[in-house]
């Protein structure tokens, strides 16, 4: 038996183990604690990399926990064992998560150096990592609920890290109440599926769903809850508060939990819901939610003067692109249109997800560098930072141009795929997407002019510490890598993800 | 149809609807959390009621032939969900304690007004 088959369990087990080693190491010294934390994170990264390598060479597998043969078929005896899928799609998701996590972790080492309670901070960081990884890897509905709640608890506690500020606690409570109510409704709909089919495995439910009233009820609830967690309009109200109030280095990672929920939603749509609903109907709902998120997100961003809230609303609007693109792909499923443009839409949507995770992290972190250097978050009061912070300025430009979809950066490659394909579905969708992109460009240009350009006002003492620059540098390198080789990323990472969902071109 | 088999599902509906109403429309943060706890209990009861089969015995392997047991899986799920429920409730209550310290109130409208 090949030891590599156990990789999915390591991706969960390592962060969980190190999450609880960190507070113990904290008893000894700060350095040991940081070393333990980084070891846990980098080991997880190593295992994600190994799993990616295995998946791309052997084609992926289903891992059954506790079974004699962990890669065997599900038998009547092992029907209720928890299963994880290691396929192209989970690799796409875990890669996105781990890249952002490494960026946020190195950033935290510099940014939060003097903050109290860092032992707990790193524990919660690793718990969130384990939770999101579990969410995207699992293929068992109840297990999904468990990881959903682990992610909620850990990330809400992180949002409330600055508990000396009333606003942070308020944002965390809001996020928590919404997540918990969502989680409970998710549990009820899982119960509905279990009551009807007597199994919890995605694939087994997917085989037997047929679109009865109970199916549709459960599917509706699950879609609403996951769209809520993904911060799609009209269920986005928690997101800007939570993003703005979370400690600055962790914000991209809170945003990644949203992206994780979107990954789960897409997996469920293609694995489970496909047999129960008419593809055009569900696709139209996704397109509708996507367009709404894109438009409302970007128009709410227009009136923000807080740099983090502005980026938070931009991130809501980026979620819309992915939902719209995958919605178009799903709507054309099983028709001739799928071959001509539907597959391209899904390709663009998935490519945009990994792009978005990385450049959004870069934007949040460079905004955090501005806040670190000046202690000011109001765009109207900032100015002239480019004189003292050349590296941060460069990193911000890369992130900003990428989110606005300016060639040749990675955001452009994925957005181009989306424009081309949704135009063939309905021209108005492409027009909306382009308009939203232009407004996004205007917004990041506004941030850039207000914060970085202008006469030197002596606001910052100089560049931020090197560990923060390294973190932003890593993310910038990934963005540039994706920009230089978009074709390679699509054919090596995105296409296997589509094939594993059964929607290859 | 046996009324006793239907009754738990009515109770579940009442509990979840009541909890959702309280969580959405009440202004007192403690009451909101009580509403969420009601929903938790509703969801747990739902899982347990799904498992019940009339006339079957408790799922303990040694005491019954394998065919005559009620379904064991939902019981395992319910235990997990109870544990998660305790953790979430505790975290939410601690947030409320902190809010009370900052703003001196647990009314969500008052909290919003203090913030501005």
């Amino acid at each position: 038996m090949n030891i590599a088959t156990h990789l999915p369990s390591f991706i969960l087990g390592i962060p969980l183990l190190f999450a609880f080693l960190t507070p113990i190491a904290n008893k000894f010294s700060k350095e040991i604690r940081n070393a333990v934390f980084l070891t846990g994170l980098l080991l997880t990264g190593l295992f994600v990399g190994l799993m990616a390598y295995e998946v791309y060479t052997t084609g992926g597998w289903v891992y059954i926990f506790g079974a004699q043969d962990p890669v065997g078929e599900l038998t009547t005896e092992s029907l209720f064992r928890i299963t994880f899928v290691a396929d192209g799609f989970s690799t796409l998701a875990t890669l996105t998560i781990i890249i952002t996590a490494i960026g946020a972790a190195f950033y935290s080492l510099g940014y939060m150096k003097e903050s109290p309670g860092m032992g707990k901070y790193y524990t919660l960081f690793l718990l969130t990592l384990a939770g999101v990884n579990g969410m995207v890897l699992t293929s068992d509905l109840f297990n999904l609920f468990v990881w959903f709640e682990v992610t909620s608890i850990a990330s809400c506690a992180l949002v409330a890290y600055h508990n000396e500020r009333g606003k942070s606690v308020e944002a965390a409570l809001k996020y928590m109440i919404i997540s918990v109510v969502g989680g409970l409704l998710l549990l009820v709909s899982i119960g509905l599926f279990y009551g009807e089919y007597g199994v919890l495995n995605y694939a087994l439910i997917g085989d037997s769903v047929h679109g009865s009233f109970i199916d549709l009820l459960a599917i509706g609830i699950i879609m609403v809850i996951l769209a809520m967690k993904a911060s799609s309009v009209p269920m986005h109200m928690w997101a800007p508060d939570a993003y703005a109030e979370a400690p600055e280095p962790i914000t991209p990672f809170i945003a990644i939990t949203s992206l994780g929920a979107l990954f789960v939603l897409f997996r469920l749509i293609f694995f489970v819901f496909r047999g129960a609903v008419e593809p055009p109907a569900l696709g139209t709902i996704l397109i509708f939610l996507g367009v709404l998120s894109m438009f409302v997100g970007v128009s709410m961003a227009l009136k923000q003067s807080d740099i983090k809230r502005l980026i938070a609303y931009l991130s809501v609007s980026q979620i819309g692109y992915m939902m719209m693109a995958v919605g178009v792909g799903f709507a054309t499923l099983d028709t001739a249109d799928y071959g001509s443009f539907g597959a391209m839409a899904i390709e663009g949507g998935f490519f945009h997800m990994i792009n978005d995770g990385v450049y959004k992290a870069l934007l949040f972190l460079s905004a955090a560098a501005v806040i670190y250097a000046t202690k000011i978050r109001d765009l109207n009061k900032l100015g002239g930072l480019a004189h003292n912070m050349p590296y941060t300025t460069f990193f911000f430009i890369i992130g900003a141009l990428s989110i606005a979809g300016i060639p040749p950066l990675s955001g452009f490659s994925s957005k181009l795929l989306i424009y081309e394909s949704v135009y063939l579905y309905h021209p108005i969708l492409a027009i909306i997407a382009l308009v939203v992109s232009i407004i996004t460009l205007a917004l990041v240009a506004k941030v850039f002019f207000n914060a970085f350009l202008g006469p030197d006002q002596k606001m910052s003492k100089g560049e931020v510490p090197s560990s923060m620059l390294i973190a932003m540098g890593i993310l910038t390198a990934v963005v540039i890598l994706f920009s230089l080789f978009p074709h390679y990323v699509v054919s090596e990472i995105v296409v296997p993800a589509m094939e594993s969902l059964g929607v290859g071109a | 149809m046996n009324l006793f088999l239907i009754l738990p599902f009515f109770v579940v509906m009442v509990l979840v609807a009541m909890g959702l109403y309280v969580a959405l429309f009440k202004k007192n943060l403690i009451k909101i959390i009580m509403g969420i706890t009601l929903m938790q209990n509703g969801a747990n009861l739902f899982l347990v009621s799904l498992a019940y089969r009339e006339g079957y015995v408790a799922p303990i392997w040694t005491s019954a032939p394998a065919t005559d047991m009620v379904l064991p899986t939902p019981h395992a799920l319910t235990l997990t969900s109870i544990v998660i429920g305790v953790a979430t409730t505790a975290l939410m209550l601690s947030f409320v304690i902190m809010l009370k310290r900052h703003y001196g109130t647990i009314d969500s409208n008052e909290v919003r007004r203090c913030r501005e």
Side-chain angles (χ1 to χ4, degrees):
Chain A
M1 190 184 60
N2 192 347
I3 190 80
T5 52
H6 295 292
L7 281 170
S9 62
F10 282 113
I11 292 176
L12 274 184
I14 295 290
L16 274 181
L17 173 71
F18 280 82
F20 296 106
L21 284 183
T22 312
I24 300 174
N26 196 30
K27 295 278 178 220
F28 299 106
S29 81
K30 273 186 175 178
E31 286 70 31
I32 298 180
R33 176 199 67 204
N34 290 352
V36 167
F37 165 68
L38 277 184
T39 317
L41 188 81
L42 294 177
L43 268 181
T44 315
L46 176 74
F47 284 119
V48 168
L50 284 176
M51 191 182 93
Y53 175 77
E54 275 301 312
V55 166
Y56 294 141
T57 46
T58 65
W61 66 96
V62 175
Y63 180 76
I64 307 168
F65 272 88
Q68 283 207 325
D69 180 14
V71 287
E73 288 289 308
L74 276 180
T75 59
T76 45
E77 192 191 326
S78 61
L79 212 54
F80 292 104
R81 290 191 196 280
I82 291 166
T83 52
F84 274 16
V85 274
D87 57 6
F89 192 68
S90 27
T91 312
L92 173 74
T94 43
L95 278 177
T96 315
I97 291 162
I98 201 73
I99 293 171
T100 322
I102 289 176
F106 277 103
Y107 204 87
S108 303
L109 290 180
Y111 195 100
M112 311 290 280
K113 206 181 246 168
E114 306 302 327
S115 311
M118 290 310 286
K120 299 181 193 87
Y121 175 93
Y122 290 131
T123 305
L124 291 169
F125 188 113
L126 288 175
L127 277 179
T128 315
L129 179 63
V132 192
N133 276 341
M135 257 165 75
V136 298
L137 281 172
T138 188
S139 70
D140 179 283
L141 271 177
F142 187 75
N143 203 233
L144 169 67
F145 166 74
V146 173
W147 294 119
F148 185 91
E149 293 287 7
V150 169
T151 315
S152 300
I153 293 173
S155 56
C156 290
L158 276 175
V159 171
Y161 174 78
H162 285 298
N163 62 12
E164 72 280 0
R165 291 208 302 248
K167 275 168 91 177
S168 303
V169 180
E170 196 203 338
L173 183 64
K174 197 173 176 184
Y175 181 19
M176 188 78 200
I177 288 177
I178 288 175
S179 300
V180 172
V181 171
L184 288 171
L185 291 176
L186 188 66
L187 183 61
V188 170
S189 48
I190 290 167
L192 290 174
F193 269 135
Y194 180 81
E196 198 174 5
Y197 302 115
V199 282
L200 290 164
N201 190 281
Y202 290 179
L204 293 178
I205 295 178
D207 286 343
S208 35
V209 283
H210 53 278
S212 65
F213 172 70
I214 299 213
D215 280 349
L216 294 181
L217 186 66
I219 288 172
I221 296 175
I222 292 178
M223 271 195 61
V224 170
I225 300 308
L226 288 176
M228 182 275 292
K229 189 84 175 163
S231 73
S232 151
V233 177
M235 289 82 74
H236 68 291
M237 58 294 193
W238 61 270
D241 281 350
Y243 294 174
E245 292 305 323
E248 280 75 25
I250 204 71
T251 316
F253 203 49
I254 307 279
I256 274 293
T257 61
S258 297
L259 214 53
L262 204 59
F263 276 115
V264 175
L265 178 62
F266 291 158
R267 186 192 285 283
L268 283 174
I269 283 176
F270 289 109
F271 262 45
V272 182
F273 303 166
R274 196 173 163 179
V277 291
E278 293 290 319
L282 191 82
T284 312
I285 294 174
L286 275 180
I287 294 170
F288 183 72
L289 284 177
V291 169
L292 212 59
S293 305
M294 270 158 51
F295 206 75
V296 174
V298 87
S299 18
M300 294 292 283
L302 277 173
K303 61 170 203 157
Q304 305 299 327
S305 59
D306 180 324
I307 185 167
K308 268 183 87 184
R309 280 189 89 84
L310 196 151
I311 300 174
Y313 276 112
L314 285 186
S315 108
V316 169
S317 102
Q318 294 301 309
I319 293 281
Y321 278 92
M322 306 155 203
M323 296 187 84
M324 183 185 73
V326 175
V328 166
F330 193 77
T332 57
L333 216 57
D334 304 327
T335 64
D337 285 344
Y338 185 75
S340 57
F341 63 84
M344 201 213 284
I346 296 186
E347 213 170 85
F350 285 0
F351 188 23
H352 201 60
M353 289 179 96
I354 187 163
N355 274 341
D356 179 69
V358 182
Y359 64 61
K360 202 157 69 188
L362 184 59
L363 268 184
F364 270 125
L365 292 185
S366 42
V370 170
I371 297 172
Y372 181 86
T374 61
K375 309 276 179 285
I376 302 172
R377 303 165 60 139
D378 193 340
L379 281 171
N380 297 326
K381 293 180 186 143
L382 288 164
L385 291 175
H387 295 276
N388 280 332
M389 304 168 73
Y391 296 112
T392 309
T393 312
F394 172 71
F395 295 144
F396 182 83
I397 291 175
I398 296 289
L401 293 182
S402 192
I403 199 172
I406 300 296
L409 286 151
S410 60
F412 171 73
S413 330
S414 49
K415 279 187 180 173
L416 187 66
L417 284 172
I418 296 177
Y419 299 147
E420 276 187 35
S421 51
V422 300
Y423 181 81
L424 292 170
Y425 186 72
H426 202 297
I428 192 89
L429 294 177
I431 293 169
I432 293 174
L434 273 168
V435 169
V436 170
S437 250
I438 292 166
I439 304 177
T440 308
L441 178 64
L443 279 167
V444 288
K446 173 182 134 186
V447 176
F448 181 65
F449 277 103
N450 279 1
F452 293 101
L453 294 190
D456 189 3
Q457 299 178 18
K458 300 276 179 288
M459 275 183 168
S460 68
K461 293 193 194 68
E463 196 52 86
V464 291
S466 55
S467 66
M468 290 159 68
L469 288 179
I470 292 172
M472 290 190 281
I474 295 173
L475 293 172
T476 309
V478 175
V479 171
I480 291 177
L481 209 66
F482 285 179
S483 315
L484 292 179
F485 307 104
H487 181 75
Y488 187 75
V489 176
V490 168
S491 64
E492 297 302 315
I493 299 180
V494 175
V495 168
M498 290 168 67
E499 277 162 2
S500 65
L501 295 185
V503 288
Chain B
M1 193 174 267
N2 193 338
L3 184 68
F4 282 101
L5 291 180
I6 305 291
L7 192 62
F9 294 103
F10 278 116
V11 178
V12 167
M13 272 166 64
V14 171
L15 277 177
V16 171
M18 217 154 72
L20 203 57
Y21 171 78
V22 171
L24 291 180
F25 295 110
K26 289 289 171 188
K27 294 297 168 201
N28 185 321
L29 292 175
I30 298 282
K31 284 187 186 163
I32 292 179
I33 295 174
M34 285 165 75
I36 292 176
T37 318
L38 276 181
M39 281 180 70
Q40 273 166 2
N41 294 339
N44 291 339
L45 184 61
F46 181 51
L47 289 177
V48 174
S49 340
L50 284 177
Y52 184 70
R53 294 286 182 277
E54 204 180 1
Y56 285 19
V57 298
I60 303 167
W61 193 260
T62 47
S63 71
T67 46
D68 290 350
M69 297 190 292
V70 301
L71 302 177
T73 320
H75 295 159
L77 306 189
T78 311
L79 272 181
T80 319
S81 126
I82 289 172
V83 174
I84 290 173
V86 171
T88 51
T89 312
L91 187 61
M92 282 190 290
L93 284 173
S94 64
F95 286 157
V96 174
I97 293 171
M98 281 192 248
L99 279 180
K100 168 84 179 167
R101 278 195 198 135
H102 282 292
Y103 298 117
T105 176
I106 52 166
D107 184 295
S108 58
N109 283 341
E110 294 277 322
V111 168
R112 203 170 297 143
R113 204 162 59 228
C114 290
R115 191 182 67 176
E116 277 152 11

